Each structure stands twice: as C-alpha cells, then as structure tokens.
C-alpha cells in the first residue's frame, strides 16, 4: 500500500550505484520526472500486471516472488540500496505491452524512487542511444533465435509425425494390396471349381453349397474366432485327418484356411451329408476358395479401417478441423498422440493407460495440448532408451484435471532438475535435442491454460504431472502466446 510522496533528493540518488555516474543535469531530470514514495507493508506490484513503473529501493526490505503452480514462491529478499525492479524493458518499441516479471512486496515500511515506464524509455533513448540499440538488438535477437529454433522444433516434430504416419499407413496399405491380389486369384479359383461340380442333380448340389456358404459367411461376418496357436494347430490336424479319410485330394491346402476360420470336422460332416462322394473334392475346393475370399475380404476391411483410424487420429492430433479454443476430451487427445507416436515408441516400450473416464472436458487449445503430450512422451521414450514402461494416467484433482506421464527410465539427476524448463537446455547429445521441448510445454500449460507442470523423479520412476483447470478461463490475448 502506497503512502506519502516526498520530494526527490538529488544527493540521495547520486549515493546509489545505479545513478552515481550521472551528471547534475541528468539527476535533475530524474527528480523532475520521478518521485519518492513510501510504501506500507504489502504488495507493490503483481506478476503479469502491466509494467507501468520502474522502482529503485532507497530504504527498507523488498521481497521478490515468482508464481509457480499458482503459488507465489519467494525468489530473493534484499535490503540493498539501489536494488531495482519493474519496467526494465521500457526502452523497447512497445513498452505498453510489457508486464511485471514477478511480484514484489515489502514486509515493513520502505521508500522507493519511482519513474514511469514512459519516462524511463525517453531517458534511456536520450542518454544512451547506442546502449538502447544494443539492448533492443539483444532482446529482439534472442526472441528471433527462440522463434526460429521453436519453428524448427515444430518442423522436426512434423517430420517425425509424417514419417511415423507414413510407416503406420504403409503396413495396412501393403496388406490390403496383397490381400486384393490374392482375392482375385481365389475368385478365379471359385469359378473353376464351380465348373467342376457335377452329380445327378447339379442344381440341388449348388443350392446346398450356396446355403452352406451363406451360413459360413454369417459365421465369419464378425471375423475369425480368437484361437490360440496350439488350438489352431490341433484343429488343422483334425481337419487334415478327416479330409484324408474321405479321399479329398490335397486336403491339407483347405485345412489351413478352415482352421483359421474356426471351422471344424462337424462342419465337414454337414458338407459330406449333402454332397455326393465323387463331388466332395470339388465342393471342398470351392468352399476353400470361398472361405479364403471371406478371410481376405476381412483383411482388406481391417486394413481400410486401420487407415481410416490413422487419418482420424492425424486430424485429431493436428486439430485441422476444429476450433482453436474449445472444451475437449483429454483422452481423445492422448489416444491420438499415442497413435501418432506409436512407431517412435516402438514395440519394446509397454504403454499402460490408466484413464478416469468420468473426467470433465478441458477448455483450451487442443492442438497445443497435443504438442505438450508429444514432448513429454518423446522425452519419456528417450529417457528409457526405447525400452521400458510408459504409463499415462488421468485423474481428478479438486477443480483440475490431472494428466500424468510416468516412465521407468534412470531418472533426472538432482543437479539437472532445476534447469529442465530453461530454453535451450538439454542433456541429449548434440543434434538430438533443441532444449525447447519442456520450455514449450511449460509455456503452453502454465501460460496458455493457467495450469501447472511438475516433475518428480527418482531412478526407475519419473513422473510429469500436468494439471489443467476444468473450469473455462478467458482465452489469452495473442501477445500472450508463448510460442
């Protein structure tokens, strides 16, 4: 709480290290444009508020805080005369967009010299034009470097996504092409086998076979039954024995398809009961082609469904067809990200999902949240060197939604933990990491979604906790975009 405003003393200002090199005219201007103000115990400025003033401590003790996970954490405490804070970047081209980088309070009465952000900007440009150019160049250059590297990070992520998606789609596409070629052969074989059927009443035989085929198709409509390898092998042996006993030529060829389709000797007994003995081989051959065709059609359908799911997951991941800010299901986002990264995760990493499906939707930017999941999953897989267990868990945490990523890697060293969110800091070998993954994740979760990002790590158990508010919050203005 501010108190009395008193006259500015040029001698007092000259006694501070910050102003000791200024001449009398410069000190006079400071006193003319600034003021000395006494503050009672309490907050002076809060993090995120517009940076309107530049403060210099004359007397008392100030405490500087930064907001971490929604809690004010004390960063430094000082009674050093000349300590300053506030509108430190007022010399930039757009000082009105600057915000306080932290919160400051005083525990007891304290005196400060105050200068408005616009006055500080004018003074800096008048007195130190070269220094201002250097500082602006440093500030904007650093921003440009970060934006360039982040853009490269996005492109690398897009390349990895494209490669993974291509790999994932190639498998079902190849399977569908192979099944289609084989299906064409089976259809030709069906026509040939059908022409070989005879008997005293060919029409009756064909009607009977058509009925059996329909029943078999209905049986296979939901896909072949889930049989273990040993059960399939036993059933195939039994079918071969039956076919040999009934004089069916090359019965072993049909036995494999019949066993895979879940057909047994009882089905063959039904067939033998309605088909003349001398037509049994041709009937089995025809039905073999029929069963093969059904199985191949199922493979093609499964491959097409797989491709469709991958395309849907890609759309969900990139959110190309969605509004930028909306209430969304975190589980849908997590599933699409895991599917997109499945090639990179590999078969040696076991993925465990522990979802609380009763959770409410989360308001925010789905595409950016997918980027957070991507960075955290990628780090977890890298930490485990591609082998271990990745657990993705969701839960309710009071009025927040918790998303946890747990890996069984070696853990993060204690001396590294305080630096993991620093831009460009990475423990990966040169060329394998930019050091921006966790920085981007932090900015998206904390800056864009008003949430929190925490980590707990011991060897064999590293957990990143993402907490997102379930209640809607105002969408950040464009200038708050951390990316």
């Amino acid at each position: 709480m501010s108190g009395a405003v008193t006259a500015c003393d040029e001698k007092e200002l000259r006694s501070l290290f910050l102003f000791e090199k200024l001449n009398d005219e410069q000190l006079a201007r400071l006193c003319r444009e600034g003021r000395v103000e006494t503050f009672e115990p309490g907050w002076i400025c809060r993090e995120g508020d517009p940076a309107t003033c530049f403060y210099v401590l004359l007397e008392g003790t100030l405490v500087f805080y930064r907001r971490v996970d929604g809690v004010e954490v004390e960063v430094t405490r000082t009674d050093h005369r000349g300590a300053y804070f506030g509108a430190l970047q007022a010399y930039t081209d757009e000082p009105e967009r600057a915000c306080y980088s932290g919160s400051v309070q005083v525990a007891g009465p304290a005196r400060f010299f105050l200068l408005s952000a616009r006055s500080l900007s004018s003074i800096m440009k008048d007195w130190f034009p070269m220094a201002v150019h250097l500082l602006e160049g440093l500030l904007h250059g650093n921003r440009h470097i970060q934006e360039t590297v982040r853009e490269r990070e996005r492109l690398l992520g897009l390349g990895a996504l494209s490669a993974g998606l291509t790999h994932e789609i190639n498998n079902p596409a190849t399977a569908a092409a192979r099944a289609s070629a084989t299906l064409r052969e089976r259809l030709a074989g069906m026509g040939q086998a059908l022409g070989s059927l005879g008997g005293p009443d060919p029409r009756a035989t064909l009607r009977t076979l058509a009925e059996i085929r329909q029943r078999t198709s209905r049986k296979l409509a939901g896909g072949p039954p889930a049989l273990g390898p040993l059960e399939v092998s036993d059933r195939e042996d039994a079918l071969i024995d039956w076919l040999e006993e009934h004089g069916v030529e090359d019965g072993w060829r049909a036995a494999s398809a019949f066993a895979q389709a879940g057909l047994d000797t009882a089905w063959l007994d039904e067939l033998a009961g309605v088909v003349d003995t001398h037509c049994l081989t041709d009937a089995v051959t025809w039905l073999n082609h029929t069963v093969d065709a059904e199985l191949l059609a199922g493979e093609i359908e499964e491959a097409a469904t797989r491709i469709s799911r991958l395309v849907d997951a890609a759309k969900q991941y990139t959110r190309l067809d969605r509004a930028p800010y909306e209430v969304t299901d975190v589980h849908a986002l997590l599933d699409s990200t895991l599917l997109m990264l499945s090639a990179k995760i590999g078969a040696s990493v076991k993925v465990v999902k522990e979802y609380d499906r009763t959770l409410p939707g989360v308001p925010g930017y789905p595409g950016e949240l997918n980027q957070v999941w991507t960075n955290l999953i990628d780090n977890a897989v890298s930490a485990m060197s591609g082998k271990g267990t990745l657990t993705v868990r969701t839960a309710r945490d009071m009025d927040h939604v918790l998303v946890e990523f747990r890996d069984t890697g070696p853990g993060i060293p204690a001396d590294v933990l305080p630096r993991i969110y620093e831009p460009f800091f990475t423990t990966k070998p040169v060329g394998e990491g930019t050091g921006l993954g966790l920085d981007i994740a932090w900015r998206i979760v904390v800056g864009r979604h008003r949430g929190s990002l925490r980590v707990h790590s011991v060897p064999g158990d590293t957990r990143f906790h993402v907490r997102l508010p379930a209640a809607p919050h105002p969408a950040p203005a464009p200038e708050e975009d951390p990316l």
Side-chain angles (χ1 to χ4, degrees), residues 101-260:
S101 61
S103 303
V104 176
Q105 72 169 348
V106 291
R111 292 172 59 245
F112 290 88
F113 171 72
L114 275 69
L115 194 63
S116 71
R118 291 197 173 276
S119 291
L120 177 62
S121 175
S122 176
I123 287 173
M124 289 287 290
K125 291 176 180 178
D126 290 345
W127 294 353
F128 315 108
M130 183 177 177
V132 167
H133 286 308
L134 292 174
L135 290 171
E136 285 182 337
L138 180 64
L139 177 64
H140 294 305
N142 185 55
R143 286 177 179 172
H144 178 69
I145 290 172
Q146 291 196 27
E147 289 172 0
T148 301
V149 176
R150 286 187 182 121
E151 185 62 28
R152 178 170 175 79
E153 181 99 348
R154 291 191 187 98
L155 291 175
L156 289 173
L158 184 60
L161 170 63
S162 177
L165 186 59
T166 301
H167 173 78
E168 290 295 321
I169 288 181
N170 181 65
N171 290 336
T174 302
R178 184 174 58 248
S180 297
T182 306
L183 178 59
R184 185 176 292 109
E185 296 177 2
R186 295 296 180 269
L187 292 175
M190 287 175 62
Q192 184 178 358
L194 191 63
S196 301
L197 289 172
D201 190 355
R203 291 184 179 182
T205 301
L206 290 176
R207 283 197 299 270
T208 302
L209 289 176
E211 293 175 0
I212 295 175
R213 179 184 179 280
Q214 288 178 358
R215 289 199 299 272
T216 304
S217 296
R218 285 195 294 269
K219 185 175 182 180
L220 296 177
L227 302 176
L230 185 59
E231 188 174 359
V232 171
S233 178
D234 291 342
R235 182 167 295 192
E236 185 174 344
D237 290 341
L239 289 168
I240 291 175
D241 292 341
W242 188 99
L243 293 169
E244 288 180 350
E245 290 174 1
H246 288 75
V248 176
E249 298 176 6
D250 296 329
W252 59 272
R253 296 181 184 275
S256 177
F258 291 165
Q260 186 180 354

Side-chain angles (χ1 to χ4, degrees), residues 50-114:
T52 58
C53 287
F54 174 69
Y55 297 81
V56 181
L57 180 65
L58 299 175
E59 181 182 352
T61 300
L62 67 85
V63 186
F64 185 82
Y65 297 85
R66 290 297 299 271
R67 189 178 297 118
V68 179
D69 294 337
V71 178
E72 301 285 357
V73 177
E74 181 177 330
V75 176
T76 185
R77 180 185 296 258
T78 181
D79 59 0
H80 183 66
R81 296 180 69 251
Y84 55 88
F85 62 92
L88 303 181
Q89 295 180 0
Y91 55 83
T92 60
D93 293 334
E94 299 177 334
E96 65 278 358
R97 292 179 56 178
C99 297
Y100 291 120
S101 61
S103 303
V104 176
Q105 72 169 348
V106 291
R111 292 172 59 245
F112 290 88
F113 171 72
L114 275 69

Side-chain angles (χ1 to χ4, degrees), residues 391-403:
T391 303
V392 182
R393 182 175 71 92
T394 63
R396 187 184 301 271
D397 186 6
M398 300 181 67
D399 57 348
H400 283 63
V401 169
L402 168 68
V403 182

